[in-house]
Structure formats: C-alpha cells, structure tokens
Amino acid sequence: MTLNRRELLGYSAAALGATALGLPQIAKAAGELTIAYNVNLPSWDPTTGPSAVNPTIQGLYQSVFDQFIPQKPDLSFAPGLLTEWGWNDDRTKIMMTVRDGVTWHDGSPFTAEDVVWSLERAGKVETGNPIQFVWSKIGNFKIDGNKITGDVIAFEPTLFKWMSFLTGYIMPKAYYEKVGAEDFEKAPIGTGPYMVDKFERNAFLRLKANPNYWGGKPAFENVTIKFVTDAASRVAEIESGSSQVTLEIPYEEYDRLIAKDGLAGSCKNVSDIGMIFFNDIDAMLDKNVRQAAVMAVDKKLLVDRLLRGYGQPIDTLETPEYAAYDASIKVEHNPEKAKELLAASGYSPEKPVKFTIQTTKGFKPKDYEMIQAIVGMWRKVGIEATIEVYEIAKHYELRAADKLAPAAFYNWGNAIGDPTTSTGFATYGPSPHSVWDSQDLIDMINPLWGEADEAKRIAGWKAVDKYIAEQAYVLPLIQYAQPIVHAKGVNVVQNVSGALLPALMTPA
C-alpha cells in the first residue's frame, strides 16, 4: 500500500488551518481586520453550482470549510482532516485516515461518516457538483473507526489532487440533512478556522475565529471581508485605512501604494493565467484566422508596458509550476505572417475578419485594457474585434452553456498544477469548462484521463499542448503576478494559488 503523508514545514498548524478572510471597517482593536475583496460570494455550498469552480472565491470557502487535503502556501500537500491517503498496490482501492478530535462549528463531532457522505454526495449527478465526473470514480466505502476504504470504480490519477482543489470540501452530514440546502445557505457551518458571524450578499462577510479549530485559533478574532468589485474603490479602501488588506489592483497603483508610509505589499507570480478562449463557431472555424489572432499578439509588450513587468508571457496553458510545463513549445509573435495567413482567407486591414471578444473589466489587473491592446494589435493585421464586457458570473453561465463569443478572455486558476485541470478541462469538448469541441482534440485527450503510468500521462499532455499551439485552439497570454497591498501592521503570507487567506495573517 502506498500512502502519502507529508509533514507541515515552515508553517504552524494554526496558520495552515486558518484559511480565512478579513475584518470590520477600520481595525478598531488588535483582534480585528478588514479586507477589501475583489469578488462577491454567490453561494455558501462550495461543492455545487458554477461558483464552486470559481478559483477566486476559494479563499473564502477555505476560511469556513476544510478540504479533504489542504495545501500549504507553496502548494505542497499536507495532512488535514485526512492525515493519510493513498491507493493499494494495484490501485483498485483507496485508503484514508481521518483526524480525531475535530468538531464542527456547532460543537458536534466531525467523523469519518462526514467524509464518506461528502464523497458520495459529490459523486451523485443530482447533487450538481461540477466535478461529479471525478468523484463518481470511487465508491462502496467502508468505515472502521477513523479508517476509510473505498473501491476504485474507474482509475483517476488526479483523485487525491482534487481533494485539495475545487469542490474538494468536507460538508457536515447531520447538520446539512437536518436543515436542508436553503437553510444551510442562511447559516453555513464547517470545521474551518473561521465561523460565519454575518453575511450580507453583495456587501460584506463577517467572520469570527473558531476557538476550537484543530489547527489552532487564528490570530485575528474578527475578520470583515468587504466585497469591492471595482478596482479603484479597492485602492481607495486601502489608502483611506478603511481596509487593511486588498488585492488585484492595477500594477501602477500597487507601485504607488507600497511607497507610501504605513503600507507594504507583495506581488509574486501565482498559478493563475490570463487566456482567451476560442469558440469553434463563425470565424474561429478558420485555422488561418486563429493562427493570425495568436501571432499578432505581442505578449511581452503587454507584460512590459501594460503590466509594468509583473507576470510573464506563456505559450501554453501551463506555467513553470505545472507538471506538464514544456519550455520548448513556443508560438512566435509575427504580425507579417499573421497578415499572410489572413490574406490566404481573403482578409486584410482594409477588409477585416470580424468577431466579438468578451472580457471582464477590473476583475483582474488591466484585464479590460489588455483586451483593448490586443484588439489594437489585431486591427493592424486585418482583424476587427468588438469588445463586450461581462461579469465573471456571466462568463461561467455562458461557458457552461457553450455560448461564449468566438473569443472570450478568462482568468484560469490551477492550484494543483496538473495538466488535466488546465489544458484538459479548458480544451476538451465534453468538459463543461471548454467551448472548443473538435473531435481531433477529443480523440487525442481521451486516453490520458485514466493513464496510470505517470511519466506517459505527462508526456501525453505535453504532446496535446504542442498540438493545441500548432492548431491555435486557444490563446494563452500571461501567468499572472498577484498584487497584494496591506497595512504594515498586518503580516500577509502570499499563496501561490492566489487565494487570500486571512487565517495566515497575523498582527505585525
């Protein structure tokens, strides 16, 4: 039997467990913290619906709920509510050991039954878990004290990685069955470092430290997270002192703010990437148009000029931290070649090909401005793109229905760094997260989902990335650097996943 057991290195159990949020208004007391957050929280169930696969709100969920297997800020895995996990030798069964002595926020004991119920619920189609196709690959669980075994119905090489990723949360069986889905939204409980004190949709979330948290009580007693979706307003929040921490602001504002007395910050590359989905409709069915659209974009110029040198250009949907990153895959910036390709399809700057590109505005630093710049680059070679602005929630709705425009900007998060959760989900036609449906790519990806030989699996995904780059099925843009600004009175640990975790914050 092979079990993965990793020790916590460099971070206390309290820091690992505390995955929380912010505090009320101005810090009125040492135990209070306020965070100006960049997105709203649509739902309190972290395992169902479109919001469950939104990487930007996972830090909120992780403050209240625990995942099966937590990740440290460097994305390495660590013991959590599961202290041991693994397959048997022939990978026909899984084994898990459950942590003893943990309680839910209502004081009831956390047990192995909660783990099994959460896994079974996630695997049922009727539950509405967006990752049901992963969770349904295990079943027939048996409990013996704090030990769980289960059958592998279909081998999923990334199963335990998913236990640290989207929808990989343990829910309270008895409480949820007692109150039901509707009342759970009104009064959610978890085992996490913070308890929900008050929640006003589209306004704020107030959290209170969990005194009985298995990882140790977090440093800040009260955390208020304001939902401030406008970037300029987040700048005002931190500059005025109304909030002590904020994130995802324009890079020029980041540089300006950290030079001010009383403020500090960090801006490091995270696992998020900026990309443009191509939908296999209209003009995007023409390979010349797709290749021209990719070749016309000067990604280095975008990083250097628009993003002030923060982040780095990418040519696949993998960053250097991902398991299938291949630095040899390059896509040239060649506007003249782009013109030739378009001319072969009958287009020119005087007679451009036309389509719509959708984008968020203020969701990520310079997202809208970046698309404006790209549209300008396209115009020079013979592409006339009309910009349509949407909220991130609308993107999820359109993507799930396969109704995105021919081109659509998106921020893709992949905290576990596996190619299935970047290239796989973003480009595999049957995936609810993809809008590119060509059979050639489906056939190429199909054998990789259940490939048990890890070296062969990763090599296969690298080949897929190379093929996608050649066919221009997607336009990878940049790996993001995430700007965080905070008062000097607060220590902030930046997480490579991009999740802002108040439980890792301490008074300076």
Side-chain angles (χ1 to χ4, degrees), residues 278-353:
F278 288 159
N279 198 352
D280 56 332
I281 57 173
D282 306 335
M284 289 307 172
L285 292 170
D286 186 335
K287 181 180 177 181
N288 289 337
V289 171
R290 298 195 307 271
Q291 288 183 319
V294 172
M295 287 184 178
V297 177
D298 188 342
K299 301 171 189 177
K300 187 174 186 306
L301 186 67
L302 293 175
V303 170
D304 291 345
R305 298 280 181 85
L306 202 57
L307 307 184
R308 298 173 71 90
Y310 294 110
Q312 67 178 12
I314 54 174
D315 290 312
T316 69
L317 298 182
E318 320 283 346
T319 76
E321 294 81 6
Y322 293 9
Y325 176 73
D326 185 344
S328 71
I329 302 173
K330 298 291 184 186
V331 178
E332 63 176 333
H333 167 236
N334 191 335
E336 292 308 312
K337 180 70 178 295
K339 286 182 182 178
E340 292 174 12
L341 289 165
L342 288 168
S345 290
Y347 303 115
S348 67
E350 295 72 36
K351 185 188 172 185
V353 58

Side-chain angles (χ1 to χ4, degrees), residues 151-354:
D151 290 343
V152 173
I153 296 167
F155 179 67
E156 171 52 63
T158 61
L159 174 68
F160 292 113
K161 290 183 179 181
W162 273 107
M163 291 189 179
S164 298
F165 198 33
L166 307 174
T167 77
Y169 295 88
I170 302 179
M171 299 283 280
K173 177 182 186 291
Y175 180 81
Y176 192 93
E177 289 180 336
K178 175 184 175 183
V179 303
E182 188 175 338
D183 285 346
F184 187 83
E185 284 291 330
K186 297 175 184 175
I189 67 166
T191 55
Y194 281 98
M195 303 180 290
V196 176
D197 185 30
K198 189 172 183 181
F199 174 57
E200 291 287 346
R201 197 173 300 278
N202 299 321
F204 70 90
L205 166 65
R206 189 160 63 234
L207 300 168
K208 188 174 184 62
N210 178 5
N212 302 312
Y213 186 55
W214 62 267
K217 184 179 176 181
F220 285 103
E221 178 69 29
N222 300 300
V223 176
T224 299
I225 297 170
K226 298 180 183 179
F227 303 128
V228 186
T229 57
D230 177 67
S233 298
R234 291 197 298 279
V235 171
E237 279 283 323
I238 194 78
E239 196 161 18
S240 67
S242 294
S243 294
Q244 288 77 57
V245 182
T246 196
L247 73 165
E248 303 293 11
I249 59 174
Y251 295 109
E252 66 271 18
E253 292 286 22
Y254 170 81
D255 286 341
R256 180 180 70 84
L257 289 170
I258 62 172
K260 293 175 70 75
D261 289 342
L263 294 177
S266 62
C267 190
K268 298 177 182 177
N269 286 355
V270 293
S271 60
D272 287 9
I273 64 172
M275 60 176 285
I276 293 175
F277 277 101
F278 288 159
N279 198 352
D280 56 332
I281 57 173
D282 306 335
M284 289 307 172
L285 292 170
D286 186 335
K287 181 180 177 181
N288 289 337
V289 171
R290 298 195 307 271
Q291 288 183 319
V294 172
M295 287 184 178
V297 177
D298 188 342
K299 301 171 189 177
K300 187 174 186 306
L301 186 67
L302 293 175
V303 170
D304 291 345
R305 298 280 181 85
L306 202 57
L307 307 184
R308 298 173 71 90
Y310 294 110
Q312 67 178 12
I314 54 174
D315 290 312
T316 69
L317 298 182
E318 320 283 346
T319 76
E321 294 81 6
Y322 293 9
Y325 176 73
D326 185 344
S328 71
I329 302 173
K330 298 291 184 186
V331 178
E332 63 176 333
H333 167 236
N334 191 335
E336 292 308 312
K337 180 70 178 295
K339 286 182 182 178
E340 292 174 12
L341 289 165
L342 288 168
S345 290
Y347 303 115
S348 67
E350 295 72 36
K351 185 188 172 185
V353 58
K354 299 179 181 181

Side-chain angles (χ1 to χ4, degrees), residues 86-103:
W87 284 283
N88 64 348
D89 290 338
D90 64 2
R91 300 197 170 188
T92 58
K93 291 187 179 295
I94 63 166
M95 294 86 163
M96 297 171 284
T97 303
V98 177
R99 183 178 295 274
D100 289 322
V102 177
T103 58

